[in-house]
Amino acid sequence: MDSSSESVGDDQGDYQYPWFPMGHFGINFIQTDGSKAYVEGELSRAYIKDYELLKASKRKKEEKQPAEQLQVDMDEMSLQDSVPEDNGEATDKLLEDKDMAYEVLPKWSSDKKKGKKRKAKGRYNYHSFEEYWDVSSFWVIQRTWLNDFGGQMTEENQKELLKKCDEMKPIYPIEQHENLLENPDYQNITKSLTETKEGVTFEEIYAEHCDLIKKQTENDYHIYQTKEVTRRCKDMINRVKRLGYAPGFEESQLPSFYDLNDKDIKIDKPLIKEVRYQIDESYAKKFVGDKFEESTASTSESSSSAESQIESTVPLNPKEIRFNFDPETEQHLIASNAEKLYANDPEISKYYYQRYRLFSRLDEGIIMDREGWFSVTPEAIAEHIADRVVRHNVSVVVDAFTGVGGNAIQFALRGAHVIAIDMDPVRLKCARENARVYGVADYIDFICADFFDVAATWAADKKLAPKVDAVFLSPPWGGPSYLKSKEFDLATGCCPNGIDIFDVSLKISPNIAYFLPRNTKVSQLTELAIKAKTRMEIEQSSLNTKIKTITVYYGKLAYREKSPKSSGDN
Ligand code: MGP
Ligand code: SAH
C-alpha cells in the first residue's frame, strides 16, 4: 500500500478494511437550462478481503469467462482545432513622419509584475482572459506594432523595443501566440487605416491597434481555453477509466463540441465548462496488473432466461402473504440446501460456491430465494459499507431495498437502528429470519412495501416520518446480465429507474449511500450530486483481487479531505 496515501483521510484510521482516496475532481457544468453547477468528488477504493470465507465455500473450478475490455470510445474523440483564417495581403505602404510609430508608444515602467515570468513547470492554466492579458498585453501589442510599423522607427529604437518585447514575452503564451509574427491575424491589422483614412494620426492608429489586438487575443484565448479544457477533460476521463470506472461522459458534453460564445446553444446533457482533478496513477498501475486487469473485464454469459425466471415482486393478494418462515414447507429457501436445488442453474450455483462470503453464518439457518442469491451484498462488503455509513452521528438508517438483509444486518451490527423496506414479502421474510441468525432482528423495523409509497407517505405526513440519518440504496440492477453493456445506465438499467430512486431518497435525507454496478456511468452519478447539492465519493469495493461493486456516497457520508492538496492539480 502506498504509505503516502495512508495519512490522507480525516478519519480513516479506525476502519476494519483499509480504503484510500485515489483522486479528486471538481467539475463546472453548464446545465441544460443554461444554469451553472459545480460538483466536487472523490474516487476511492476499499480493499476488502474474505479469502477464508471463499475457501470455506469450496468453490468449484469455474470456466474462465472471456475478457471484455471496459474501454469506452472517449479515446477516439476527435478535437476540431480552430484554425484562424488568413487575413489576406497586408499593405506595405511606407508612412511618412519617420519614428512617429515609436514616439506614440506608451513608455514602459520597470514594473516586472506585468510581464512576470512564471517558473511553474509544464503548461500554465490561466484562470481568465484578464489574467492572460495582464501577462501578455505589453508583449503582444508592442511586438506586433514593431512588426507592422518598425520601418517607421529609427534602428536604435527598433532594437530597444525588440529587447523590451523579448523581456516581456510571457513564458506560456497561448498557442496562437507561439509564432506570433507568422500568425496573419496579428499582422498589419491597422496598416490599412493609413491608406483609407486621410489625416489619421499615429496616436489614433496605435489606439486602434491596441483595441484590435486585444479583441483578437480575447477571441483566441477563448478558442485556446476551450481546447485546453477539452484536453484536460479527456485526460481526466482516461485516468478515471484506467482506475476501472466507466466514465459515461459523451463527446457532446465536452466544451469543444460547441461554440461557448454562442448564447443560444441548446444542450441536452450538462456541458463541462471547466475541470480540476488530481488522480493518482499508481492505483491505475495496480489495477492493470494481472488480476485486477482481468477483474474489470468480464462478460456475463448468462442467458436472458435468468431475467424471465426472476419472480414477480408484487404479491397478488396481500392476505396470502405469510411473514413467518416455515422450514417444512419452505425448504427451498434454506441456503445450505441450495446445492441440489440449483444444480442445473449455473447462474445461481456459482453463488453457492461462494456462499460463506455472502453470509459467514450461512449454515446456521440463512434463507434466500433465487434473486436473493445473486443480489445479496457479500458480507465483507456490507460490513465495510456499514463501517463507512454508521458514524458521523448516523444512528437511523433506511435500507430502502433490503432484499434478504445482507446490508441491513451489518448496519444493525454496527449499532444503527434500521428501517428495512422491501416490496417482496418472501425476501423480507428472509431478511428477518437472517437478522435473527445474526442476533439483530430487534434492531430492525421491517416494512413490506414499495419504497416510493413509503417515501410518499412520510413526505405527506411529517408525523409519520421517522428521523432518518442516512438512506442506503441497493435496488435491482435488472438481473445478472447488468455487466453485458460496457457502461451501466442508472436510468434504464435499474428497476425501478435509478434516478427516480435517488430523487425520492433525497426527500428523506441528503446522506445517501448508493450501491451500484462497478460499470455505472460516472457522468450520471455527478448529475445526482448536482441535484443533491452535496459533494460525492465513488468508492470501488475491491474484494480480494477484484473490483466487485461501487458504493457512491453523498452528503456527509462522502469523504472530505482535511487539508486539500494544491500541488499537482490539473
Ligand atoms: P456479480 O454479477 O456476481 O458480479 O455481482 P461478479 O462477481 O463480478 O460476476 P462475474 O460473473 O463477473 O464473476 C457482484 C455482486 O453485485 C453480487 O454479489 C451482489 O452483491 C451485487 N449484485 C448483483 N446484482 C445482479 C445485483 C442486483 O441486481 N442488485 C443489487 N443490489 N446487487 C446486485
Ligand atoms: N442489499 C440487499 C439486496 C437488494 S436486492 C441484500 O444484501 O440482500 C434489491 C431488492 O429490492 C429486491 O429484494 C427487490 O424485491 C427490492 N425492490 C425492488 N423494487 C422495490 C421497490 N420499489 N420498493 C422496495 N423494494 C423494492
Side-chain angles (χ1 to χ4, degrees), residues 195-254:
E195 291 169 344
T196 51
K197 281 195 184 176
E198 250 183 55
V200 66
T201 67
F202 263 106
E203 277 89 349
E204 285 163 344
I205 298 171
Y206 183 70
E208 183 78 4
H209 178 87
C210 290
D211 213 32
L212 293 176
I213 291 285
K214 186 173 181 184
K215 274 190 193 132
Q216 185 64 43
T217 301
E218 189 161 11
N219 186 47
D220 284 344
Y221 173 83
H222 288 299
I223 292 170
Y224 169 82
Q225 263 307 78
T226 303
K227 200 172 156 182
E228 268 298 287
V229 176
T230 303
R231 182 193 64 77
R232 289 204 301 279
C233 282
K234 288 181 176 184
D235 182 57
M236 180 187 80
I237 287 164
N238 283 327
R239 282 166 190 255
V240 166
K241 203 162 63 180
R242 285 202 290 273
L243 290 182
Y245 295 89
F249 291 102
E250 291 173 16
E251 187 174 359
S252 63
Q253 293 185 269
L254 303 189

Side-chain angles (χ1 to χ4, degrees), residues 375-377 401-407 422-424 427 450-451 474 476:
S375 55
V376 62
T377 307
F401 302 87
T402 299
V404 296
N407 295 96
D422 201 294
M423 66 193 277
D424 184 280
R427 270 190 292 286
D450 185 322
F451 172 55
S474 62

Side-chain angles (χ1 to χ4, degrees), residues 380-492:
I381 296 182
E383 266 179 297
H384 176 70
I385 295 171
D387 205 359
R388 292 284 322 260
V389 171
V390 188
R391 53 178 69 220
H392 326 285
N393 294 324
V394 167
S395 51
V396 178
V397 179
V398 168
D399 184 350
F401 302 87
T402 299
V404 296
N407 295 96
I409 290 169
Q410 295 305 325
F411 289 130
L413 282 172
R414 277 278 308 167
H417 183 85
V418 185
I419 299 169
I421 303 166
D422 201 294
M423 66 193 277
D424 184 280
V426 175
R427 270 190 292 286
L428 202 67
K429 176 197 312 201
C430 294
R432 192 169 66 174
E433 202 58 27
N434 297 339
R436 279 197 192 123
V437 171
Y438 280 79
V440 290
D442 289 346
Y443 303 99
I444 306 176
D445 293 331
F446 294 93
I447 302 177
C448 187
D450 185 322
F451 172 55
F452 286 87
D453 293 341
V454 176
T457 307
W458 289 348
D461 188 347
K462 294 279 176 231
K463 275 182 256 146
L464 293 177
K467 184 196 154 292
V468 175
D469 299 312
V471 180
F472 177 71
L473 303 170
S474 62
W477 302 344
S481 56
Y482 70 96
L483 283 172
K484 266 188 178 166
S485 50
K486 284 177 186 169
E487 298 192 330
F488 180 83
D489 190 286
L490 200 52
T492 56

Side-chain angles (χ1 to χ4, degrees), residues 28-46:
N28 280 101
F29 289 102
I30 300 174
Q31 303 196 83
T32 46
D33 64 359
S35 65
K36 289 179 184 151
Y38 177 67
V39 179
E40 209 179 341
E42 205 76 33
L43 302 168
S44 64
R45 186 179 295 158

